[in-house]
Amino acid sequence: MQLRNIVIAVTALGMVGVASSAFAETWRFGLEETEGSVQYGYAEEFKKLIEEKSGGDITVQLLPYGTWGSSYTALYDAIQNGAIQLGFGSGFLGGTVPESQLMSLNFVMPSDQLKTAKILNSDAFLKSDAWQQSFRERGLVPLGALPEGYQVWTANKEIRTPEDMDGWQVRVMDNSLLRATYEAYGASPITIAYGELYSALQQGQAEGNIQPVFAHENMGFYEVQDYMIFADQAQFVANLFGNLEWYEGLSDEQRQTLETTLDEMVQKGHEIQSQFNSERLDIIKEKGDIKIIELTEEERAQFRELAKPIRQVYVDMVGERGQKALDILLEQGVGSSDQGS
């Protein structure tokens, strides 16, 4: 019944686009984030390029967080059943595509954020059998990846070492690998719905939070926390994926339009996240009195050592296919970075 209601609701949303352009095909694009986010900025540029290249034959309808339901599972289900054609999935996607938790590993991606974007969108990784089959077996197809900036910790106390995390109740996405990672650091990770996180931090139900800078500002999390800690341990990566049946039903011309747009969006996506995070950090510094901490290399090294065994935890969770996907990333030069060493 819940799934049926989602389909009806999303179909109703789509009627707006159909009415305004009777002969245009509509691609509904589901976002995990609200307007004013990196995902929304990416989607706006994607929409512009697709509609221009198709000469108006394709319209893209953006569905930000809240327009498709209140749980991320509802979004992923809607893409699986074709009510929404494509969308983003990040940490929560691990419940639908377990192998996607690869993006949650700490101290694996290059410190150069553009290099990360290029590797994750390369044919060697994105079109590898291991990564493709991880999604296709669930009725989905991976189309790209959007690194949204470094994950930054906020807390009501200084955190510089794993000892400082002892018993720290930090909110993480509902992702078993993230929980394992922060348990390895000594924290006590908890899961709280994104829309309820501000009040949870304000009321002390959670003692800390992990988000890219733009999200801390966009949702006002910095207003109810005392410290913002930059450890450069992981970038927040959103997987872009589509409904498999929809993708396979695209004409050659439509697929070419999609592929060339996705190629352009690698650089554009990096520029969008860089601008968003830089501007939002300035706003946080200007409006708030939160204290900024940047960990030294020696401090980061302590967390890096604790994070290394989690790679095997990931492989044990998802199996051989996950190992192959991880190996491809390492072969692409990820492991030679300061994070993967």
Side-chain angles (χ1 to χ4, degrees):
M1 181 62 70
Q2 181 183 8
L3 186 57
R4 179 175 178 272
N5 290 339
I6 293 168
V7 173
I8 292 172
V10 173
T11 302
L13 281 169
M15 294 302 293
V16 176
V18 173
S20 62
S21 184
F23 301 103
E25 179 174 332
T26 300
W27 293 358
R28 290 180 285 278
F29 192 160
L31 314 179
E32 295 177 310
E33 299 168 356
T34 61
E35 293 187 33
S37 66
V38 169
Q39 286 186 16
Y40 197 88
Y42 177 105
E44 283 186 311
E45 187 65 24
F46 175 89
K47 169 183 170 69
K48 175 185 173 183
L49 291 174
I50 290 290
E51 293 178 352
E52 286 178 352
K53 290 181 181 183
S54 69
D57 290 339
I58 300 171
T59 60
V60 179
Q61 182 183 14
L62 306 187
L63 303 175
Y65 177 82
T67 60
W68 37 256
S70 59
S71 74
Y72 293 115
T73 301
L75 171 60
Y76 309 150
D77 287 347
I79 298 174
Q80 281 184 306
N81 65 48
I84 296 176
Q85 283 71 44
L86 70 164
F88 280 117
S90 52
F92 283 101
L93 185 61
T96 301
V97 183
E99 293 87 347
S100 70
Q101 294 181 82
L102 174 60
M103 303 301 178
S104 297
L105 287 172
N106 282 200
F107 297 101
V108 166
M109 302 299 178
S111 55
D112 183 326
Q113 296 183 72
L114 179 56
K115 182 178 180 181
T116 294
K118 289 179 176 179
I119 289 173
L120 294 179
N121 288 283
S122 67
D123 287 353
F125 176 74
L126 183 64
K127 296 187 177 180
S128 67
D129 184 68
W131 198 242
Q132 286 286 319
Q133 290 308 311
S134 296
F135 285 79
R136 286 173 178 263
E137 283 191 3
R138 282 91 182 186
L140 305 168
V141 57
L143 301 173
L146 173 63
E148 298 189 48
Y150 275 112
Q151 296 268 40
V152 180
W153 303 329
T154 60
N156 290 324
K157 64 177 182 178
E158 287 194 28
I159 292 179
R160 294 184 179 275
T161 68
E163 288 73 21
D164 295 331
M165 281 197 180
D166 186 29
W168 180 51
Q169 288 194 311
V170 58
R171 181 267 185 183
V172 300
M173 290 181 287
D174 189 10
N175 176 305
S176 54
L177 198 69
L178 278 174
R179 287 194 293 272
T181 299
Y182 281 87
E183 286 170 358
Y185 292 159
S188 298
I190 57 176
T191 299
I192 296 171
Y194 192 60
E196 301 171 5
L197 182 52
Y198 183 96
S199 61
L201 291 168
Q202 188 177 43
Q203 296 168 14
Q205 295 170 333
E207 297 174 326
N209 178 29
I210 310 165
Q211 303 286 344
V213 170
F214 79 87
H216 284 300
E217 190 280 328
N218 189 45
M219 299 298 287
F221 299 140
Y222 71 96
E223 299 170 351
V224 289
Q225 297 270 264
D226 295 332
Y227 293 90
M228 177 174 280
I229 301 103
F230 290 75
D232 291 359
Q233 80 288 355
Q235 297 170 47
F236 182 82
V237 179
N239 294 285
L240 177 61
F241 60 99
N243 174 272
L244 180 57
E245 185 176 353
W246 162 77
Y247 178 77
E248 292 186 335
L250 295 176
S251 67
D252 290 343
E253 183 178 358
Q254 289 174 327
R255 191 168 297 184
Q256 179 67 15
T257 296
L258 177 62
E259 291 291 336
T260 57
T261 298
L262 292 172
D263 286 345
E264 290 182 50
M265 289 307 302
V266 177
Q267 178 68 39
K268 288 180 181 292
H270 171 70
E271 292 170 357
I272 289 168
Q273 73 87 359
S274 296
Q275 179 180 351
F276 267 62
N277 286 306
S278 176
E279 291 177 350
R280 300 304 174 83
L281 183 58
D282 287 341
I283 292 173
I284 289 172
K285 289 178 177 178
E286 179 182 342
K287 288 186 175 181
D289 57 0
I290 194 166
K291 301 174 183 67
I292 306 294
I293 295 175
E294 295 185 11
L295 297 192
T296 66
E297 179 53 35
E298 291 74 18
E299 290 167 339
R300 291 178 66 238
Q302 297 178 61
F303 289 100
R304 184 189 295 119
E305 287 304 309
L306 293 172
K308 283 183 179 179
I310 305 301
R311 298 183 190 182
Q312 187 58 48
V313 173
Y314 166 73
V315 173
D316 292 341
M317 283 180 178
V318 303
E320 182 180 357
R321 198 157 49 197
Q323 177 73 72
K324 289 180 178 179
L326 175 58
D327 288 345
I328 292 170
L329 284 187
L330 298 177
E331 290 166 4
Q332 290 296 303
V334 174
S336 63
S337 74
D338 66 333
Q339 294 202 50
S341 61

